Amino acid sequence: MIQIRPQGILSLGRNEHIMPYRTNADLPPALRAHLPAEAQLIYREAFNHAWRQYAAEGGRREEIAHRVAWAAVKRQYVKLGGTWVPK
């Protein structure tokens, strides 16, 4: 059974083998509005990797994937005022 979660991530039930975000356009609108394209790519790749890696975490999977993705962005970008810029 396919479900669309509020965050826009597809759920295929127990065997979720898809990448939640195939392109930067699939990222949440707030994220796209605030991060530069390169930072969006970093976020997306880190999120998708963590999504696969933490599949056994059940309900915490999405939270963990978002935390991993933000950590990846923050390793290469810093927020100055309201703008994310490369370090």
Side-chain angles (χ1 to χ4, degrees):
M1 175 178 187
I2 297 178
Q3 299 174 338
I4 299 181
R5 297 181 182 161
Q7 299 83 1
I9 297 173
L10 288 176
S11 173
L12 300 176
R14 290 188 179 267
N15 297 320
E16 295 181 26
H17 297 292
I18 62 167
M19 290 189 306
Y21 300 120
R22 292 181 188 270
T23 68
N24 287 358
D26 296 330
L27 293 170
L31 216 145
R32 289 193 323 265
H34 295 288
L35 290 178
E38 184 180 331
Q40 290 177 35
L41 176 63
I42 292 166
Y43 186 97
R44 180 171 52 89
E45 289 179 350
F47 183 96
N48 288 341
H49 179 76
W51 181 262
R52 290 186 302 271
Q53 183 176 355
Y54 293 101
E57 294 299 320
R60 294 195 58 230
R61 180 185 194 185
E62 186 173 352
E63 175 191 349
I64 293 168
H66 281 296
R67 288 178 185 261
V68 167
W70 274 115
V73 169
K74 290 176 181 179
R75 276 193 293 276
Q76 296 186 41
Y77 281 79
V78 64
K79 192 171 186 180
L80 294 177
T83 306
W84 288 91
V85 296
K87 286 186 174 181

